Amino acid sequence: MDVDQKPPVTMDGIVALAKRRGFIYPGSDIYGGLANTWDFGPLGVEIKQNIKNAWWRYFVHQRADVVGIDGGILLHPKVWEASGHISEFFDPMIDCRNCRSRYRADTLVEEKLDRKAEGLSTRELTEILQEANLACPVCGERSWTEVRQFNLMFQTHLGPIEESGTKVFLRPETAQNIFVNYKNVTQTTRVKVPFGIAQIGKAFRNEITPGNFIFRVLELEQMEIEYFIRDSEWESTFQHWLDAMAEFYDWIGLRRDRLRVREHETDELSHYSKRTVDYEYQFPFGWKELSGLAYRTDFDLRQHQEHSGVDLTYYDQANEERFLPHVIEPTMGVERLLLTLILDAYNEESVTDVNGKPYERTVLKLHPRIAPYKAAVLPLSKKPELSGKAMEIVRDLRQDIVVEYDETQSIGRRYRRQDEIGTPFCVTVDFESLDDNAVTVRDRDSMEQERIPIAELRQHLHDRLNQ
Ligand code: ATP
């Protein structure tokens, strides 16, 4: 097979593919959509599930020192006072007076003036923007409001009557569930410092400038671990988690050459962090954060201890010592990782088929752990003797893996469809199969074909999928 690689994909290309093939649809589509909300279709939900399962398996099941929890989205309002989200979880916002477009001021400075701006005060941002006399990217006018702070938490009320009910927030991060359950976990399980608590769950952020498809959404799913340690261990533990995150990316097939590590400057660190490092990915719109690793010190446990009045110290029996653990936090978003994996796997190729005929194909070279379908079973014709045999194979394979059955259109078009949705193997059932009880297995990436006895197919795919 000859392959001629094309340049990387554009975001428009990905958005179109995502909708066309049923990965991701605009939210509330039949009502014209609700800005910046997205729904995951039949293929998207499979990838999402695969990402979460891979993460849980890698960081919880395959380790002896991490346990999981699944906390609620609504927490006591005092949690957010203690965590600092009520006083600190703000983004700087600026509006165009003419067309009323709204921007995150620091992003505007970074993207239009090409300088780092995260963590600057509203005054500094206002000055920079005034000095640059920047035109509004939408209407071209130069009439801006002052930069103001905007709290990112979504609010709602507990109880039937809004006025008398308690104001509560949808959690903006999953981490706080872990801190408020830390004592429960230490008292009800055998964990000993150092240990981690993992959680996957929804978080909500009223982002000012969402966009770039699902890169920044209002409703996101986070995969987070709070890893509890002695303060003296923080540097080596930080390095351990930095490496573990990269190894996880290898494990799910993300290429290292579009990944880099970026250290946060002191003035951009969050209020709780002493050191933060981002894994950045080279998106079509630039190098941006994919995931983060933060040393949160004992900030959160200390705050919750003070605000709740509950002793959150840890007693180390072996050393007869009591202390408040420090915390290292690896965190990543499911949607952002999903986008990254699709971009990373996307290829447009000019290839020649087995008969030497050239054609163009789009192929998602997703790792089998991530691919929505692991195999597609394709009878060469719709004749009942072939489709019956193919369905038998499907039923057998479905004991192990997610399989699609497709008997419509020409075989070439069916291969191309499976390439485009990232299916690692196509299993073709032809008339010879009726005699030799074997099928053709086609490899998505090399496009090589191999004849495999049906009796060995399940094991063959199992070995090659390397789950
Ligand atoms: P950013 O600087 O991009 O706003 P952040 O530093 O606030 O992100 P964290 O609070 O560290 O992000 O969140 C952890 C992870 O959750 C991020 O690395 C990212 O993968 C994901 N994430 C955060 N906000 C969003 C969002 N609005 N949409 C999608 N994913 C998000």
Side-chain angles (χ1 to χ4, degrees), residues 23-40:
F23 288 98
I24 302 163
Y25 309 123
S28 312
D29 208 6
I30 60 167
Y31 288 95
L34 174 67
N36 303 300
T37 64
W38 304 94
D39 292 337
F40 289 81

Side-chain angles (χ1 to χ4, degrees), residues 104 118 205 207 214-218 220 222 224 272 289-292 331-333 335-336:
R104 217 174 113 170
E118 214 177 312
R205 296 181 180 187
E207 301 270 7
I214 56 165
F215 175 80
R216 189 177 296 287
V217 287
L218 307 176
L220 59 135
Q222 290 190 309
E224 283 192 315
Y272 51 75
E289 173 176 341
L290 165 61
S291 59
T331 174
M332 45 187 105
E335 293 79 3
R336 201 173 285 185

Side-chain angles (χ1 to χ4, degrees), residues 49-108:
Q49 213 59 41
N50 292 341
I51 290 174
K52 290 188 276 184
N53 288 342
W55 187 90
W56 196 263
R57 204 168 138 205
Y58 198 82
F59 290 117
V60 184
H61 290 168
Q62 294 186 352
R63 297 180 64 112
D65 57 350
V66 177
V67 293
I69 63 160
D70 182 18
I73 283 166
L74 300 175
L75 290 94
H76 196 291
K78 280 196 171 161
V79 169
W80 308 113
E81 273 171 39
S83 69
H85 280 81
I86 289 184
S87 56
E88 306 272 353
F89 198 52
F90 291 92
D91 272 347
M93 165 173 91
I94 190 167
D95 293 332
C96 167
R97 285 208 178 93
N98 182 48
C99 72
R100 300 189 185 282
S101 294
R102 175 159 289 174
Y103 302 92
R104 217 174 113 170
D106 52 350
T107 315
L108 200 61

